[in-house]
Amino acid sequence: MIEELKRLVDNLCTNVIVMNEQFEILWWKTNPNLSLQLRKNISICDVLQVNKNELQNNTIISIDGHHYKIKLDSYLFEYNLIFLTIEDIGDLSNNQTNRLICLEEVLENLNEGVIISDRDGSIIYYNKAQEEMEQMKKNEVLYNKLWDVYKYNRRQSEHAHIFKTGKPIYAKYKAHSKTDNGPQYVGYSSFPIQKDGQTIAVFSISHTETSLKNKLLETIELKRSLVTKDLQVIGNTNGTLYTFENIKGDSQVLKKAIEEAQNISLYDTYALIVGETGTGKELFAQSMHNFSPRANNPFVAVNCAAIPENLLESTLFGSVKGAFTGAIDQEGLFEYAKDGTLFLDEINSLPITLQPKLMRVLQERAVRRVGSNKLIPITCSVISASNEDPELLASEGRMRLDLFYRIAHASIYIPPLRERAEDILFFINHFLFTYQKKYLKQNIILSPTLYKTLLSYDWPGNTRELQHLIENLVIQAKSNETVFESFLPYYLRKKLSITDCVEEIARPLKSILESNQANYIENILVRNKWNITVAAKQLNISRQSLQYHIKKLGLVKSEEVF
């Protein structure tokens, strides 16, 4: 009888220790990795290093860093036998219960929704993310039929269909649940779970538009860091100098334009960048190329306004020998760009007679060289830029609408500087720092009145004009000097109706905004180490007047700390 029992234990049980009433070990069946020193006829108490009183059901025993959970059962055969079932809590290789707990914990913390059903259509798993997406409670869903929960005919069940066919269903977008807030749409894919060739369950993984957008933003941020890291290598090989990291500014509209450009860069599509002269269209184009899957291939830029009309066609499309006087066999820029990006700057300057041919090239993805009938496939992507509104160009007959639709599968608008007041201030300080460093100067300060003038100017030349102006001011100024409106170039003073700024030079304190007066005087004093005579001379006021302002504004010399 005992031998038969032993054989049964060997066949059906694992991690079982059989003992007599004195807790002496008779035989056992355990996993090889169970790290216990088991021997016949010794007490289990010695093995587990406990006394008999501690041998209770569900007791946790620790030995050499391992944690064991025990269970005791007594059976009467020819004589009384005690079965001790032992579980290594940390064993995930052989402990199926622990593995299941780990997997359920992983599923419960996913951002994607997970739902699992069995052969009868009962929902056996429904994670937290799925609850949030569908706005339903887990305890109201679990162990109910799919068609009862989602209120549809059983014959329409996709899970039941997968059970029959064993084939997954990909990329569906549907609202299964309906709440007081309306239908809850989710994107999902469903898959069979198979064992021994038979489907035993079906699961769906779901996501919302918000989660997809967040994933995209995470991808963009990762891509940004990778591009920044590899900028030097890429810039030396593909003909670019810039990535999105080089696009500076604090305004929300600029940040939105960057986000749109990054999104478009991930897709292999034609894009149009619209912005006034000086807004940085090529900076965006190069950044988009370096952000795209084509980053390791050439970036080729051509300004359509800079090439004579009679040469533009052969420049873009190439030529064959004898096509026109002096023509040679030459590949055009579409061919030269290969698998990279061709940037057509100022495409609004493209002659109307050449636009149909460009449109056909983009449509057919093939080019004919001038003087040839042979079609040559092209593989490059195309980014175009216009410094004029495409709708205005179309209404005036300067751009064909069908060409616009062809080049602008996606479009980006870069707002002018006058619509980004916070960026004007940002660039003033950015370029001031940059050019002081370049020209080995320091502590050049713009007067408050000059700041106010620059902030109120509409900057028709945009960032390029502002950059040129600040560089000009830094070149003129000396280190430790305050720059007034009189330093502005003549064309700008005339445009702003600024004379010789005599009043500001003669009585500079009158031109300072009240809120900045204290900071302005204190900066002059600190720069001159609180030498009243020198500071007053620089401010062009008397010592007595400066002392009056120091007292009035409550300025105090701070003690130096070494």
Side-chain angles (χ1 to χ4, degrees):
M1 180 66 181
I2 297 299
E3 289 302 317
E4 288 297 307
L5 177 61
K6 181 177 178 182
R7 194 160 62 89
L8 180 64
V9 169
D10 286 342
N11 288 332
L12 300 181
C13 302
T14 182
N15 285 349
V16 172
I17 302 172
V18 182
M19 306 169 292
N20 59 26
E21 291 181 307
Q22 288 73 43
F23 291 98
E24 294 173 338
I25 299 173
L26 301 178
W27 75 84
W28 63 90
K29 171 69 181 301
T30 61
N31 291 323
N33 61 340
L34 190 68
S35 55
L36 293 176
Q37 302 299 319
L38 299 175
R39 299 194 307 276
K40 286 184 178 182
N41 302 321
I42 67 169
S43 173
I44 191 65
C45 297
D46 295 335
V47 174
L48 299 180
Q49 302 174 19
V50 296
N51 58 51
K52 291 182 180 180
N53 295 330
E54 293 178 290
L55 291 177
Q56 304 291 331
N57 279 334
N58 298 321
T59 298
I60 305 296
I61 297 173
S62 298
I63 304 175
D64 298 331
H66 290 264
H67 303 286
Y68 302 98
K69 183 178 180 180
I70 63 173
K71 181 183 176 183
L72 293 171
D73 290 291
S74 181
Y75 297 97
L76 182 62
F77 296 99
E78 294 178 2
Y79 50 85
N80 197 31
L81 294 177
I82 299 173
F83 282 57
L84 184 147
T85 306
I86 188 164
E87 174 188 350
D88 185 347
I89 297 176
D91 180 14
L92 299 183
S93 300
N94 300 287
N95 191 319
Q96 300 299 324
T97 301
N98 286 348
R99 291 182 69 181
L100 181 60
I101 290 171
C102 291
L103 292 173
E104 287 190 356
E105 187 68 17
V106 170
L107 291 175
E108 200 62 27
N109 287 280
L110 290 176
N111 291 324
E112 290 78 11
V114 178
I115 180 172
I116 306 175
S117 70
D118 63 15
R119 178 173 291 279
D120 297 325
S122 296
I123 298 171
I124 62 170
Y125 186 80
Y126 191 83
N127 76 345
K128 183 179 179 180
Q130 193 79 21
E131 280 187 290
E132 295 174 353
M133 290 179 191
E134 297 189 319
Q135 297 184 23
M136 296 197 297
K137 298 295 183 182
K138 180 185 295 188
N139 58 3
E140 297 173 358
V141 170
L142 280 178
Y143 311 117
N144 291 304
K145 304 295 185 184
L146 286 162
W147 37 89
D148 293 335
V149 171
Y150 294 112
K151 297 178 174 56
Y152 59 73
N153 190 299
R154 179 174 182 172
R155 295 179 180 178
Q156 297 174 320
S157 172
E158 293 176 351
H159 277 214
H161 177 75
I162 293 174
F163 263 108
K164 290 180 181 179
T165 64
K167 295 180 180 179
I169 296 175
Y170 296 101
K172 300 282 284 188
Y173 187 72
K174 191 182 293 185
H176 289 89
S177 69
K178 296 177 177 61
T179 67
D180 294 338
N181 297 322
Q184 305 303 310
Y185 282 88
V186 296
Y188 62 94
S189 295
S190 302
F191 307 88
I193 300 175
Q194 296 186 327
K195 181 181 180 182
D196 299 328
Q198 299 297 315
T199 301
I200 61 172
V202 173
F203 72 99
S204 297
I205 299 178
S206 308
H207 52 256
T208 62
E209 290 182 347
T210 301
S211 65
L212 284 176
K213 182 177 180 181
N214 291 338
K215 286 287 185 185
L216 175 61
L217 292 177
E218 290 173 10
T219 302
I220 285 174
E221 288 304 315
L222 176 61
K223 181 77 174 177
R224 185 205 298 272
S225 64
L226 293 175
V227 166
T228 303
K229 183 178 180 181
D230 296 335
L231 171 60
Q232 186 173 1
V233 176
I234 292 174
N236 289 336
T237 59
N238 71 355
T240 64
L241 296 172
Y242 306 109
T243 70
F244 284 111
E245 290 295 314
N246 300 108
I247 302 178
K248 307 296 183 182
D250 285 336
S251 66
Q252 289 302 313
V253 288
L254 181 65
K255 291 176 181 177
K256 183 179 179 181
I258 292 173
E259 184 179 319
E260 290 175 354
Q262 290 174 330
N263 185 15
I264 293 169
S265 302
L266 299 177
Y267 302 96
D268 191 14
T269 187
Y270 298 141
L272 174 66
I273 304 172
V274 180
E276 295 180 3
T277 299
T279 50
K281 295 185 291 298
E282 182 163 356
L283 183 59
F284 264 79
Q286 289 192 21
S287 301
M288 291 172 69
H289 173 76
N290 283 329
F291 203 79
S292 75
R294 298 176 179 267
N296 292 320
N297 297 305
F299 177 87
V300 180
V302 56
N303 189 318
C304 298
I307 301 175
E309 182 176 345
N310 60 328
L311 295 179
L312 188 56
E313 183 176 6
S314 60
T315 300
L316 291 175
F317 310 129
S319 61
V320 296
K321 187 175 181 180
F324 52 86
T325 304
I328 59 173
D329 288 326
Q330 177 179 304
E331 65 178 4
L333 294 181
F334 273 95
E335 294 177 65
Y336 181 74
K338 302 187 188 319
D339 293 326
T341 300
L342 178 61
F343 176 52
L344 301 176
D345 197 8
E346 295 195 43
I347 197 169
N348 49 298
S349 300
L350 192 71
I352 195 73
T353 55
L354 198 54
Q355 293 182 21
K357 185 166 185 178
L358 174 59
M359 185 181 64
R360 181 170 293 277
V361 168
L362 297 177
Q363 182 174 341
E364 296 180 351
R365 300 290 296 163
V367 66
R368 285 185 179 89
R369 293 184 180 182
V370 177
S372 172
N373 292 322
K374 180 183 177 182
L375 277 175
I376 302 173
I378 60 169
T379 55
C380 66
S381 182
V382 178
I383 299 176
S384 306
S386 171
N387 56 20
E388 296 180 87
D389 185 347
E391 290 187 5
L392 178 63
L393 294 171
S395 64
E396 294 178 352
R398 291 190 288 141
M399 177 178 284
R400 294 171 56 117
L401 267 178
D402 45 5
L403 176 61
F404 168 71
Y405 295 140
R406 185 62 58 188
I407 64 175
H409 291 178
S411 58
I412 302 155
Y413 172 66
I414 307 176
L417 198 55
R418 62 180 173 276
E419 296 178 7
R420 301 182 273 137
E422 56 268 59
D423 283 345
I424 298 176
L425 181 59
F426 171 86
F427 281 120
I428 289 173
N429 295 322
H430 173 70
F431 292 136
L432 194 61
F433 172 81
T434 300
Y435 288 115
Q436 284 187 86
K437 186 176 180 181
K438 177 179 178 179
Y439 295 113
L440 303 178
K441 297 183 180 182
Q442 59 185 356
N443 206 21
I444 295 175
I445 299 173
L446 304 187
S447 72
T449 305
L450 180 55
Y451 258 119
K452 186 177 180 180
T453 299
L454 298 181
L455 288 171
S456 61
Y457 182 50
D458 62 1
W459 299 106
N462 292 290
T463 309
R464 190 178 299 154
E465 182 182 7
L466 177 55
Q467 180 179 3
H468 168 78
L469 174 69
I470 298 300
E471 182 177 16
N472 185 278
L473 294 178
V474 171
I475 290 173
Q476 291 186 72
K478 300 175 183 177
S479 292
N480 304 312
E481 185 174 14
T482 300
V483 178
F484 298 103
E485 285 184 294
S486 58
F487 284 70
L488 292 173
Y490 173 74
Y491 82 90
L492 192 54
R493 280 188 287 150
K494 183 177 180 180
K495 187 181 296 186
L496 297 173
S497 299
I498 297 173
T499 56
D500 292 330
C501 306
V502 175
E503 182 180 357
E504 182 183 82
I505 297 174
R507 303 185 65 191
L509 293 180
K510 292 294 182 181
S511 67
I512 299 173
L513 299 175
E514 189 65 31
S515 60
N516 291 325
Q517 192 178 40
N519 288 336
Y520 178 70
I521 295 177
E522 187 174 24
N523 286 337
I524 297 295
L525 288 166
V526 169
R527 188 194 308 160
N528 292 288
K529 300 181 179 179
W530 277 77
N531 187 315
I532 303 297
T533 302
V534 176
K537 184 176 181 181
Q538 187 167 337
L539 289 166
N540 204 19
I541 58 177
S542 65
R543 279 176 51 88
Q544 291 79 5
S545 179
L546 177 55
Q547 288 171 334
Y548 165 77
H549 281 95
I550 291 173
K551 184 176 180 181
K552 176 185 175 182
L553 298 171
L555 302 178
V556 180
K557 180 180 180 181
S558 59
E559 295 185 5
E560 296 180 350
V561 180
F562 295 92

